Amino acid sequence: MRRVGGSFLEGDIMQKRKPAPETFELGLVMAGAVSAGAYTAGVLDFLFEALGEWEAAKLAALNGGPAVPSHKVVIRASSGASAGGIASALVAMVPFTGHTPVRSPTDTAAMAKNLFYKCWVSGIDLANMLGTRDIGADGNIYSLLDGTALDDVAATLAKATRTAISGPDVPKPGWIANPLQLYLSIANLRGVPYLIQMVAADPVRGHRVLTHGDYAHFAVSGTGNGKPEAMPTAASPVNFPGTQGTPQDGWKRLLDAALSTSAFPVGLPARRFQNSRQVYDAKIWSRPGGAPDDGTPPTVSPDMKPAELEPTYDFWTIDGGVVNNEPLEFARVALSGAPDERNPRDAVEADRALLMIDPFPDDEGRAHEMGFAGARPDMFSTALNLLGTMKRQARFRPDEIMLALHENVYSRFLIAPTRGELPTGQTHIASAGLGGFAGFVNEKLRSHDFFLGRRNCQQFLRTHLAIHKDNPVVHQWTSAFDAAGTLTPFQSLSRPMPNGPWVPDRDFVQLIPLVGSAAVECQAPAWPHLDYKTDVEAKLKAKIADRAGKVSSGTVKGLLKSLGMGDGAIADLIGWIAKSKLKSLIKDKALDAIKKDLTDRGLL
């Protein structure tokens, strides 16, 4: 699929802007993915490899090497929700650590250096999230899984970045803006209050409303080798002088936001976060239809205490994907400069685009099939489906659908998993089952998705991420190559008829040409097969039982406490019974669910 739509109503104050001549700008948008973040990591791994190889080829061409396309592609912003938020944080770290692509499942040396692989394939695993370090002496239960495992991964990433910054300077890429903007969507449990003023009897001032769809906005300097640009209004600077190692360390705050946007409700613990009041006071909104434009940004201050009394707004957060799973508008505004400014969409005029990576573009749960078309739902079925219903409604935006239907929109693109025709029961990615948590079961599943992401990205750059040869961004070199008869290797491929062969498209060229190692065909990863006894049961059985016992006991005690029965021998007895009875039940149910999912999808 070449395009995907998107539009919100909010953004930070910016000025109208336009990319430099012969430069195409990208805004990365990473959707929520749970364990399928491994797929997103693979896409990013190949994208960075392709951009790096192209940049090296351009330098070689200046010294007598083969001629290659001379235009520039620059990543200006990255936005993400949930797993996509963690991926966005990694995008900002790679310019400092350097990037070593993982081209093969046997390249262990590259795996040890690659942040994308270390975080999403070898770093996050269900066995680690079944610990009990998060359960303190008070016995309080904050989530089904142990969130401290993610804290460990975040600490490792922060340490690797700080170590790289303090070591020998790593050459910065020319294909990342300086600074790089990051937007991480978060679900603010406290909510941001606004007042709709109305004429009313005192002391009523109007109608007070809350928005829970919040975000964190960062700017990372020194990410590219280009001339530094001004820091965006209301962005939190990550690596400004004097912050490293202090309580206000920007890298720590960025990772706190990444953990906040990935705090899957109930499964992982809520996270504490704070935004500067400037984030809310400086926000501008799109003008309503027919509203006059007086030249001033339409700002709406939240209904809070004055900034001098409340300089930061503190709140608890959960998964940003609950209310905004594809934070397209943040990246779009970063490219356009203002919410009311539209990015050029025509193939001959487009000079910037959103590139969305979505491991689950059609909602692996097939939401439309989850409704109650049959028997009347009981109370529990209604309650269990309520969260999903509200989440999907919050994500529905008709304007995005309408834009996606237009084939002439070249300002938004989508990369999603595909393995071609699938055997019965199999899914495109190995992590798709168990509501997206299946990949956490075993590293083999995440490894498959990582390398599928690399392959899909290569095919996408070759066949879909295209620009018209007459576009001013590329016209200077396309006209010269066309005259010399050397344009064909860089033409985009297109399929002229359904199921027909891919052929060079005479009108379109690859926006990111595949040269060097990026031109070597990425092999399709083999569908993984696990041994249930060794890869699942031996690894998880005891850990599930231990975690289940403590969680069930603590949950029952917490419920009794809320009923005023939290102390005494009776409460202890009930807690012990819950632990002994539920421990085995939960363990067996969990293992049965894992086994059934893996079996149904041909993974066992």
Side-chain angles (χ1 to χ4, degrees):
M1 181 175 179
R2 192 183 282 253
R3 293 164 275 295
V4 63
S7 181
F8 262 8
L9 295 176
E10 306 169 354
D12 288 329
I13 291 179
M14 299 178 185
Q15 301 297 321
K16 259 199 296 188
R17 56 175 307 280
K18 183 174 178 59
E22 298 181 52
T23 300
F24 196 101
E25 294 187 345
L26 289 177
L28 302 181
V29 182
M30 268 84 84
V34 200
S35 66
Y39 176 84
T40 301
V43 170
L44 292 171
D45 186 55
F46 186 85
L47 178 64
F48 279 32
E49 178 182 0
L51 288 165
E53 289 290 294
W54 178 31
E55 186 167 271
K58 284 192 283 188
L59 291 175
L62 295 176
N63 297 309
V68 294
S70 57
H71 69 285
K72 291 184 65 176
V73 169
V74 174
I75 298 172
R76 174 158 294 278
S78 178
S79 66
S82 192
I86 295 177
S88 287
L90 294 176
V91 167
M93 295 176 172
V94 168
F96 302 97
T97 63
H99 180 245
T100 303
V102 183
R103 302 186 181 101
S104 164
T106 60
D107 192 352
T108 55
M111 293 173 184
K113 299 176 183 178
N114 187 294
L115 289 190
F116 296 128
Y117 194 93
K118 285 200 298 184
C119 175
W120 276 108
V121 181
S122 60
I124 299 179
D125 193 89
L126 182 57
N128 298 330
M129 292 188 282
L130 289 171
T132 57
R133 288 180 296 162
D134 62 323
I135 303 176
D138 58 7
N140 287 340
I141 306 299
Y142 300 101
S143 57
L144 290 177
L145 300 174
D146 184 355
T148 61
L150 299 182
D151 293 332
D152 293 341
V153 174
T156 300
L157 294 174
K159 181 179 179 180
T161 305
R162 294 192 191 98
T163 299
I165 291 174
S166 62
D169 188 38
V170 175
K172 300 301 186 294
W175 38 270
I176 294 184
N178 180 18
L180 172 70
Q181 293 188 65
L182 303 177
Y183 291 89
L184 279 64
S185 66
I186 48 183
N188 181 333
L189 293 180
R190 181 181 180 185
V192 181
Y194 289 91
L195 182 68
I196 302 175
Q197 294 184 341
M198 297 179 178
V199 176
D202 292 338
V204 178
R205 296 177 296 143
H207 181 53
R208 202 166 190 257
V209 294
L210 290 169
T211 176
H212 296 274
D214 209 343
Y215 69 99
H217 181 195
F218 297 92
V220 187
S221 60
T223 44
N225 62 19
K227 182 180 179 180
E229 302 175 20
M231 295 294 289
T233 302
S236 298
V238 170
N239 52 345
F240 56 98
T243 62
Q244 303 303 320
T246 72
Q248 299 301 317
D249 184 344
W251 290 113
K252 180 182 183 304
R253 189 164 184 276
L254 171 59
L255 288 167
D256 285 344
L259 292 175
S260 294
T261 189
S262 57
F264 194 88
V266 182
L268 293 169
R271 300 279 179 169
R272 193 182 186 100
F273 194 71
Q274 63 175 216
N275 262 333
S276 166
R277 274 292 300 273
Q278 188 182 17
V279 170
Y280 305 112
D281 292 333
K283 181 186 296 184
I284 60 176
W285 303 61
S286 291
R287 300 179 190 279
D293 185 353
D294 59 3
T296 59
T299 59
V300 182
S301 293
D303 189 32
M304 302 177 183
K305 296 178 183 177
E308 59 269 19
L309 299 179
E310 192 176 22
T312 63
Y313 195 63
D314 298 10
F315 47 89
W316 289 96
T317 70
I318 57 173
D319 195 324
V322 170
V323 292
N324 182 8
N325 196 51
E326 295 95 11
L328 290 152
E329 182 67 0
F330 299 137
R332 189 197 67 78
V333 170
L335 294 178
S336 68
D340 289 328
E341 291 299 320
R342 192 184 78 177
N343 292 319
R345 297 171 181 170
D346 184 79
V348 181
E349 298 175 353
D351 57 6
R352 64 205 97 167
L354 301 177
L355 176 55
M356 183 174 175
I357 307 170
D358 191 350
F360 300 127
D362 58 353
D363 190 345
E364 76 285 7
R366 299 182 183 273
H368 62 284
E369 296 177 5
M370 294 168 60
F372 299 113
R376 183 180 183 180
D378 61 23
M379 178 178 68
F380 298 104
S381 297
T382 302
L384 289 173
N385 277 274
L386 180 61
L387 176 60
T389 299
M390 295 174 65
K391 179 177 68 174
R392 289 187 291 273
Q393 178 60 34
R395 295 176 181 178
F396 177 72
R397 292 177 178 83
D399 51 346
E400 296 178 7
I401 296 174
M402 293 306 296
L403 279 172
L405 293 177
H406 288 281
E407 285 298 312
N408 62 343
V409 174
Y410 282 78
S411 62
R412 50 196 70 214
F413 298 83
L414 171 68
I415 302 180
T418 177
R419 291 198 295 127
E421 294 296 324
L422 299 177
T424 302
Q426 288 191 14
T427 47
H428 287 289
I429 54 176
S431 301
L434 301 174
F437 275 84
F440 291 138
V441 170
N442 193 278
E443 183 174 335
K444 294 176 184 178
L445 308 185
R446 302 189 298 276
S447 177
H448 169 274
D449 293 350
F450 179 90
F451 288 104
L452 180 66
R454 282 182 51 85
R455 176 175 170 82
N456 285 173
C457 184
Q458 183 183 52
Q459 299 299 321
F460 177 81
L461 298 185
R462 181 179 289 143
T463 61
H464 287 76
L465 189 62
I467 188 170
H468 198 281
K469 67 178 182 179
D470 293 335
N471 189 303
V473 171
V474 298
H475 184 62
Q476 183 174 346
W477 69 264
T478 57
S479 58
F481 280 39
D482 208 1
T486 57
L487 186 62
T488 300
F490 304 108
Q491 289 176 324
S492 176
L493 296 182
S494 66
R495 181 180 289 152
M497 297 180 64
N499 301 317
W502 291 95
V503 297
D505 189 324
R506 295 181 178 181
D507 293 326
F508 286 83
V509 294
Q510 297 167 5
L511 181 61
I512 299 175
L514 299 178
V515 297
S517 65
V520 178
E521 190 72 14
C522 290
Q523 298 301 311
W527 189 241
H529 290 90
L530 306 181
D531 180 273
Y532 180 74
K533 290 290 184 181
T534 58
D535 292 329
V536 180
E537 191 175 57
K539 177 185 169 186
L540 300 177
K541 184 176 181 179
K543 288 181 175 291
I544 291 175
D546 186 37
R547 177 80 185 174
K550 290 182 170 61
V551 168
S552 57
S553 176
T555 300
V556 170
K557 287 185 176 181
L559 177 61
L560 293 174
K561 185 177 180 180
S562 68
L563 297 175
M565 302 170 56
D567 298 319
I570 294 179
D572 291 339
L573 176 62
I574 294 176
W576 178 83
I577 293 174
K579 179 178 180 178
S580 60
K581 296 295 183 182
L582 294 178
K583 176 179 177 179
S584 178
L585 177 64
I586 294 174
K587 176 200 67 179
D588 293 341
K589 290 291 186 182
L591 289 173
D592 287 347
I594 292 172
K595 186 174 184 178
K596 182 179 187 307
D597 170 76
L598 298 179
T599 301
D600 289 347
R601 295 189 298 119
L603 290 164
L604 286 182

